[in-house]
Every structure is written in C-alpha cells, then in structure tokens.
Amino acid sequence: MSSPEPQAGKAGAAITIVLCVLAAMIEGFDIQSAGIAAPRMAPEFHLDPHQRANGRAASPLGLLIGAALGGWLADRVGRKVVLVASMVTFGIFSILSAHAVGYESLAGVRLLCGLGLGGALPNLIALSAEATHLKKRNTMVSLMAGGMPAGGVVSSLVALHWAGPADWRMIFWIGGVAPIVLAPLVAWLLPESRRFRQAAAEAGPKVGILGALFGEGRALGTVLVAVSFFCVFLILYLLQNWMPSLMVAKGFTKPEAFQIQAAFNVGGAIGGALLGWLMDKSRRWAVVGVAYVGMAAGLFLLAGLGHNLTQALAVGLGAGVVITG
C-alpha cells in the first residue's frame, strides 16, 4: 500500500501539467493572434509592408525581453508568482490590442503583450520539468509545449468562423480574456516547484547566472542549446506570424491560408508529444538529428508549394511535426 506522500506528489504533478498545458494553449493562441489578425487588420490601418513587419516583430521582441526577465525573477520570487503575473500582463495587453487605433499604438501594446508572453514561457517549461520524474521529463515538457500549437489551432478556427470587417478585434479579445480567467485558477491550484522551495531553503552561497550556464564544463552545451533555440524559434515565430500572409501571397484564399496554418499547428501538437516521448525512449541526439533534417525538408517543401490545397495541408502538417517538436 503506497503512502500518501507519493500520491500527493503524483496529484500535484498531474495538476501542474494540466494547468501548464491550458496556459500554454492560451499563450499559443496569443502568440499567433497577430499573424491571424494581420490580413484583416492591415487594410483598416493602411499599413505598408514595412509597418506590417515592424508591428509583427514587436511581440517577439517583447517575448525575448520578457523571457530573460521572467526566468531571472522566477529564481527569486517563484515560478508560480511570475507565471500568474505574466498571464495577467499578456491578457491585459491583448485586450488593449483590440483597441489600437493605428500603427504606433498597435506596436506599443504588442511589445508589452510580448513581455507577458515571454515571462510565462520559461516558467511553464520549468514547472513542467520540475513536477515530473526524470524518466518522463522530456515527454511531459513536450506535452506542455504541444499546448502552444494546439492554441494556434483554436486561433485559426476563430479566424475561419468570423468573417466580418472587425474580426481581428475578436481574436485579441478572446486571447486577452482567457489568461485573465485562468490566472486565478493557476494561483489557487498550481503547486509551487519543489525544486524552487528547496533552493530557497538552502543556506550558503548561491551560484551566479554565469556559473550556472558556463561552469563545470557546461559552456559548450549552453552555447549549442542557445544557438539551436535561436534558430528554431526564429523559424517557428516566422511561420506562426507570417504563414497566413505567405500562403495568401502564393494564391490561396484567406480561409485556405488559415486551414494551412491550422494544419501546421496540429502537426506541432502531435510532434511535441511524439518527439518528447521518443527522447525519453530513444537516443536523444538521433531524435534531434532526424528532427533537424525533417525541418530543412519541411521548409524546402513549403517554399516550393504550388496552388494545391491538399498538398499544402499535408506539407504544413509535416512541417509542424518536426519544427515545433
């Protein structure tokens, strides 16, 4: 007969993963909301190509800054506190995105929305990783990460089923209300990371950021992970923000472009769970190597797409599996 402590630990881990998946879905919805809204928003604001690019770059720039600040703060005040604050932040500024009146106000609120999105991301990863056993860690983290493209599927479905001239505001409203509603539930139910609690209770000198990243022979691994994250996220955010516009430029209709985006996100949800499970069961470097080769092939096929919706959906699905995975 098992003791109550392990049962409580398993229950806490399950609650953590469920809440993190829900939060990741909402984050995925918000990250892709600008790209989904852009084809309808740009004509209303009379945005030129340069302004469109800068407007979409504002959120990823904020995300970069927010991720660095969110991770730093989480080591000091806790993963849970920073996650809840980040969710409320990107929820508020997503709603304000719906009230933008021009290029300058839109770029400003999207930058601030990105701060919240960036602050949430490292804490979702940390909470998922620290709540589970080492043997299942890749699977659980990847399952959580698969929530982000699943949220992207929802954003594509929203875009497909609202066709009026003000639809892009509805996308931002949904993306703003959802995290504000979920944040109190996360604050109430989500257990704080045991690893953070243990670290906070430990006496003695703390390891600095540089020491943690580059000390004890970790320099090469840190650099390789950082470079690979940069390359993958560059491609991922490019496709999440620009795929509908790129597909329209290739001759697809807006509804068809949103279907291709949805297929890419479905593939991402599948790939996140599948590749994480394989990482726990197989040789990790082999899985990563196959994923990178598949990513190159997926990008090549996306670039060479003709005007064939069935082929585009299949390529989008496959690219999502390897890129997000």
Side-chain angles (χ1 to χ4, degrees):
M1 185 173 179
S2 58
S3 65
E5 289 78 14
Q7 290 176 352
K10 289 180 181 179
I15 291 170
T16 296
I17 296 301
V18 169
L19 290 174
C20 285
V21 168
L22 290 173
M25 288 182 66
I26 294 171
E27 174 146 358
F29 185 103
D30 272 289
I31 286 174
Q32 297 195 36
S33 59
I36 293 292
R40 296 165 181 172
M41 182 171 53
E44 180 176 331
F45 289 163
H46 308 290
L47 302 180
D48 60 38
H50 180 72
Q51 290 174 324
R52 292 186 193 188
N54 286 342
R56 295 194 205 182
S59 184
L61 175 60
L63 195 147
L64 171 67
I65 299 168
L69 289 175
W72 180 81
L73 280 172
D75 284 337
R76 284 151 181 80
V77 301
R79 323 276 194 241
K80 176 178 171 178
V81 173
V82 177
L83 175 60
V84 171
S86 297
M87 292 174 67
V88 173
T89 299
F90 74 74
I92 290 171
F93 286 106
S94 181
I95 292 173
L96 291 177
S97 300
H99 295 277
V101 294
Y103 165 67
E104 290 80 7
S105 62
L106 177 66
V109 294
R110 293 313 295 169
L111 176 68
L112 294 171
C113 185
L115 289 175
L117 292 168
L121 182 60
N123 291 291
L124 288 171
I125 295 172
L127 284 162
S128 300
E130 294 171 3
T132 55
H133 193 277
L134 181 61
K135 292 182 179 179
K136 298 180 179 178
R137 185 165 295 167
N138 289 307
T139 302
M140 293 298 104
V141 171
S142 297
L143 180 64
M144 179 281 300
M148 296 181 72
V153 174
V154 177
S155 68
S156 298
L157 293 175
V158 170
L160 277 169
H161 289 90
W162 272 283
D167 289 350
W168 63 270
R169 290 184 172 86
M170 177 65 70
I171 293 168
F172 287 129
W173 265 103
I174 294 172
V177 171
I180 293 174
V181 170
L182 182 63
L185 195 62
V186 172
W188 178 37
L189 293 177
L190 183 70
E192 180 56 272
S193 159
R194 281 182 296 176
R195 184 174 295 181
F196 170 77
R197 294 199 304 268
Q198 290 169 358
E202 288 177 359
K206 305 293 184 181
V207 178
I209 293 175
L210 292 179
L213 291 174
F214 301 105
E216 300 179 1
R218 289 187 289 268
L220 179 60
T222 294
V223 170
L224 289 174
V225 169
V227 170
S228 61
F229 256 76
F230 175 83
C231 294
V232 172
F233 272 78
L234 175 66
I235 295 167
L236 184 59
Y237 286 123
L238 174 68
L239 292 178
Q240 286 176 337
N241 282 282
W242 286 95
M243 184 175 282
S245 297
L246 293 172
M247 294 300 105
V248 168
K250 279 185 168 290
F252 294 99
T253 65
K254 288 180 183 178
E256 288 173 339
F258 293 139
Q259 289 178 51
I260 297 166
Q261 177 94 21
F264 176 79
N265 286 314
V266 169
I270 296 170
L274 176 62
L275 269 69
W277 178 78
L278 287 173
M279 288 277 283
D280 282 329
K281 300 295 182 182
S282 310
R283 295 177 181 238
R284 296 177 181 179
W285 286 106
V287 175
V288 173
V290 170
Y292 268 89
V293 171
M295 188 189 311
L299 291 171
F300 178 80
L301 292 172
L302 279 173
L305 277 176
H307 191 248
N308 183 310
L309 180 59
T310 302
Q311 183 186 63
L313 291 171
V315 172
L317 181 74
V321 169
V322 289
I323 292 173
T324 305

